[in-house]
Amino acid sequence: MKYFLSRLPGLAFVLLGISLITFTLSYFSPGDRAEAIAHARYPEEIAFPPELLQAIRAEFHLEEPFWLQYLYWFGNVLRGDFGLSYASQTPVWDIFIGNLGETVTLSLTSLGLGLAVAFLLASLAVRHPGTWLDRAAVMLSSIGAAMPSYWLGLLLILGFAVHLGWFPSYGTGTPAHLVLPALTLAFWVMASQTRLLRSFMLEAANQPFVETLRLRGISEREIFFRHVLRHAMVPAMTMIAIDFASLLEGAIIVELTFARSGLGSLLAGSVLSRDLPMVMFLVMFFAVAYVVINSLAEALQAASDPATRTQEQRV
Amino acid sequence: MSEVLLQKSAKLPGSPLSRFKRRTGLVLAVLALGLCIGLWLTPYQPAQANFLNRLAPPEPAHWFGTDHLGRDIGTRLLYGSFWSLGLALVVSLAGLIAGTLVGLLAARSGPFPDALLMRVTDSFFAFPELIAAVAFAGLFGPSTVNLVIALSLVSWMKFARLARSLGLTIGERDFVIQARLNGLTGGLILWRHILPNVLPSLLVLWTSSWSRTILAVSGLSFLGFGVQPPAAEWGAMLLDGKPYMQTAPHIMIFPGLAVLVSVLAINLAGDRLRDLLTQTR
């Protein structure tokens, strides 16, 4: 807790930095924002009188200097007002919430699937070091790390949707639609986590206490499941959290490959239709989610690892 | 490879590290030569369409088949390596240079600039690569230039963090203190004493950054936010061939395979380099 509190000022600064970078991105993006807003409000009109554009510019403070505009926008963000989407004239937040579920479902399913396989592979590899099993696990995780997810998605569509016809290839809706995208992302999780878990478990298995347990006559099975695995879980938890943050990002490519609805498709769609409030909100969301998940992971590590704890106390 | 590594290997003839460098150099030379020979031998141009021979499967005249416009996929893959590998190389090098500068600057300037620079680094670090690139390339118009700018903007932070932490530890070592006592200026100390010692670790990170960027470049191009289709970038080729993948699977097998093999090769070389460097420490 103390550790977490000591991190708060830095965290606040980073969040401020994120908002500034996001605002800079939108401020310098080309295109007349007043016209975009006018288009959104009066979709049937083609040309707009200059007075109307002027009024919109005044309403949204578009003619103020950079810093003032930033403060207006940031003030609204702090109050939880993220603006209306240009495209649909509904609050950005509502659209976001409507799409969040799909992405989180996809990410969590893939995480669960990938972790299950990774635990199995890493345990087998560590319990039989140097055998073909070990080498196969390492090779599989190397290939998984190098695999372009969109390509794997296409291969899965080709194999399981086109040739075998087991699962639908595109779209959202039924659980069957979830299978192929989840497999695609799970492969990446499997690769990343197998590698990490294997090295964490190896490290734990080489600790002196393992030899002591062995001398005491405790069975290999018990040593592995009760001691090595638990020991390896400390660093693993952090890495799982970090991978979950990356999964949200990876979901974008997979969602677009499989034409699934979700935050990725929402981002791509709003970027292409130049829906600035939506884009700004999504970019902020991903950045903040990344920071928050990472900080929680760090705090978790600090809380569960006695070594970090004592270091903290010494400081 | 840097001078530093070469000097070190001169002291340790036949060390695994020098053998690795020799072999990597050899492999790279063979690959570059193969690419040149391929470009020279191929009778086709990457944009040369032939409507009489569309979607042809691999055959003697077209080793990797032809795409939906009858363009030779093998030739496009060769030219595509400049796009996919080259653009990623440019981005990762930009990240390496910018990140090293920021990191070393943070390590060598006082505590306040250090804290400020690192918080800025953290702020940029929060933006996931793909999100930032999609937003940037989308808002400013999808193009190769915008793709490179977007990816470069989010490629330097890891280097900055590593360069800073290494710069801090090396800055406390005896030879740096000695150099300062000898009256060397800060810039010279950085260039002659600190940079050579942080470079090997940065190079290991750079290999992984390069391979990640290859995935990002081809992935974004596949999504339409990067290199635009007539160009033979591997991801753009997949985007181009996607509507035809049911009738002609070869059209999507080879570009993806090219990405997979390149990334795998760079990753494995980077892993080996890291292992060797940690052994010599």
Side-chain angles (χ1 to χ4, degrees):
Chain A
M1 200 59 217
K2 210 172 168 187
Y3 174 82
F4 198 66
L5 286 179
S6 73
R7 281 304 183 89
L8 274 183
L11 199 64
F13 193 98
V14 168
L15 293 178
L16 209 63
I18 289 173
S19 73
L20 193 58
I21 296 172
T22 310
F23 182 76
T24 312
L25 176 76
S26 80
Y27 184 83
F28 287 106
S29 72
D32 185 353
R33 293 178 66 178
E35 215 159 294
I37 296 169
H39 266 295
R41 280 193 182 168
Y42 313 102
E44 61 281 353
E45 303 280 329
I46 300 156
F48 302 100
E51 303 84 56
L52 177 72
L53 293 180
Q54 207 53 45
I56 289 175
R57 280 194 194 105
E59 184 187 338
F60 286 87
H61 314 290
L62 293 182
E63 296 200 314
E64 308 284 353
F66 177 87
W67 286 108
L68 263 179
Q69 280 198 42
Y70 168 70
L71 287 179
Y72 278 122
W73 171 75
F74 192 57
N76 285 341
V77 167
L78 284 185
R79 265 177 269 138
D81 173 12
F82 300 102
L84 299 179
S85 154
Y86 288 172
S88 60
Q89 288 293 295
T90 42
V92 159
W93 177 259
D94 296 350
I95 306 176
F96 163 73
I97 289 296
N99 281 279
L100 180 66
E102 292 290 348
T103 302
V104 170
T105 312
L106 175 62
S107 305
L108 284 179
T109 316
S110 327
L111 188 69
L113 241 139
L115 272 179
V117 181
F119 259 107
L120 194 70
L121 279 177
S123 313
L124 284 174
V126 173
R127 293 202 65 189
H128 309 277
T131 58
W132 66 269
L133 254 169
D134 191 9
R135 281 201 296 273
V138 172
M139 205 166 75
L140 202 61
S141 82
S142 299
I143 291 178
M147 178 68 86
S149 59
Y150 53 94
W151 187 56
L152 179 63
L154 290 181
L155 289 181
L156 289 177
I157 290 177
L158 200 61
F160 290 102
V162 176
H163 283 289
L164 296 172
W166 290 356
F167 304 106
S169 48
Y170 300 113
T172 333
T174 63
H177 282 101
L178 188 63
V179 176
L180 294 183
L183 277 180
T184 311
L185 270 181
F187 193 66
W188 176 79
V189 178
M190 180 279 295
S192 148
Q193 289 294 333
T194 302
R195 189 190 181 100
L196 291 166
L197 284 173
R198 179 177 167 276
S199 70
F200 293 150
M201 286 180 193
L202 273 181
E203 204 174 302
N206 287 328
Q207 297 276 329
F209 76 84
V210 174
E211 203 52 42
T212 317
L213 290 172
R214 214 167 266 146
L215 288 175
R216 275 208 251 146
I218 294 168
S219 73
E220 284 295 318
R221 171 181 287 270
E222 201 184 331
I223 291 178
F224 182 79
F225 284 105
R226 287 202 44 195
H227 301 280
V228 171
L229 209 55
R230 277 170 69 178
H231 212 73
M233 276 317 287
V234 175
M237 277 191 303
T238 317
M239 294 317 293
I240 291 171
I242 289 175
D243 262 9
F244 180 68
S246 314
L247 258 182
L248 290 177
E249 183 191 10
I252 287 201
I253 284 201
V254 173
E255 278 173 8
L256 289 171
T257 308
F258 288 92
R260 275 179 70 79
S261 60
L263 295 182
S265 312
L266 184 62
L267 176 71
S270 354
V271 152
L272 290 179
S273 63
R274 321 196 56 75
D275 192 345
L276 274 180
M278 198 73 236
V279 174
M280 282 165 88
F281 176 78
L282 285 174
V283 170
M284 288 256 293
F285 164 75
F286 279 109
V288 170
Y290 186 85
V291 170
V292 168
I293 292 176
N294 270 289
S295 310
L296 286 179
E298 267 176 28
L300 198 69
Q301 166 122 39
S304 57
D305 186 352
T308 339
R309 216 158 41 206
T310 41
Q311 263 173 19
E312 278 301 309
Q313 280 161 3
R314 236 181 283 147
V315 168
Chain B
M1 284 293 161
S2 69
E3 281 175 19
V4 197
L5 291 179
L6 292 177
Q7 279 167 14
K8 214 189 255 168
S9 73
K11 273 181 228 152
L12 301 164
S15 73
L17 185 60
S18 71
R19 215 178 323 139
F20 169 77
K21 274 179 291 179
R22 231 184 3 255
R23 284 183 188 161
T24 314
L26 198 68
V27 170
L28 284 179
V30 168
L31 283 178
L33 197 69
L35 181 63
C36 291
I37 292 177
L39 290 177
W40 179 55
L41 280 185
T42 176
Y44 308 104
Q45 288 298 314
Q48 181 188 347
N50 176 5
F51 292 100
L52 299 176
N53 195 17
R54 298 168 69 235
L55 301 175
E59 57 185 19
H62 298 280
W63 290 2
F64 297 93
T66 62
D67 67 5
H68 60 290
L69 297 176
R71 297 173 294 192
D72 182 55
I73 291 180
T75 308
R76 288 174 67 72
L77 286 177
L78 288 179
Y79 281 91
S81 60
F82 288 104
W83 289 104
S84 304
L85 308 183
L87 287 181
L89 186 69
V90 170
V91 169
S92 57
L93 280 178
L96 171 69
I97 294 170
T100 309
L101 280 177
V102 171
L104 288 182
L105 198 67
R108 301 298 291 168
S109 54
F112 178 69
D114 177 26
L116 185 69
L117 279 175
M118 286 339 278
R119 290 296 87 76
V120 172
T121 308
D122 289 347
S123 303
F124 271 91
F125 209 79
F127 291 95
E129 222 172 14
L130 288 173
I131 315 272
V134 165
F136 188 93
L139 289 181
F140 288 81
S143 74
T144 308
V145 176
N146 285 341
L147 175 75
V148 169
I149 296 176
L151 286 177
S152 302
L153 278 177
V154 286
S155 70
W156 54 274
M157 296 81 69
K158 275 188 183 167
F159 295 107
R161 279 189 179 173
L162 183 64
R164 173 182 172 270
S165 73
L166 289 173
L168 282 176
T169 41
I170 290 166
E172 287 169 359
R173 299 262 292 273
D174 291 343
F175 60 87
V176 174
I177 296 167
Q178 181 66 49
R180 197 179 301 129
L181 290 178
N182 287 354
L184 250 67
T185 58
L188 263 182
I189 293 178
L190 264 186
W191 182 251
R192 283 212 198 135
H193 296 282
I194 295 182
L195 192 63
N197 283 294
V198 300
L199 213 50
S201 306
L202 285 171
L203 281 178
V204 172
L205 183 61
W206 169 73
T207 57
S208 75
S209 162
W210 187 18
S211 60
R212 270 180 65 93
T213 316
I214 293 173
L215 286 175
V217 165
S218 60
L220 287 165
S221 300
F222 172 71
L223 299 181
F225 288 102
V227 180
Q228 297 299 307
E233 200 278 335
W234 294 338
M237 285 174 72
L238 280 174
L239 173 63
D240 230 8
K242 201 177 157 197
Y244 308 93
M245 73 178 197
Q246 298 192 14
T247 41
H250 69 270
I251 223 175
M252 50 154 299
I253 298 290
F254 296 117
L257 210 55
V259 176
L260 174 65
V261 170
S262 327
V263 173
L264 190 60
I266 295 171
N267 280 348
L268 291 179
D271 286 352
R272 185 88 184 109
L273 181 63
R274 188 194 52 217
D275 291 347
L276 289 171
L277 285 173
T278 39
Q279 274 169 25
T280 44
R281 284 288 148 78

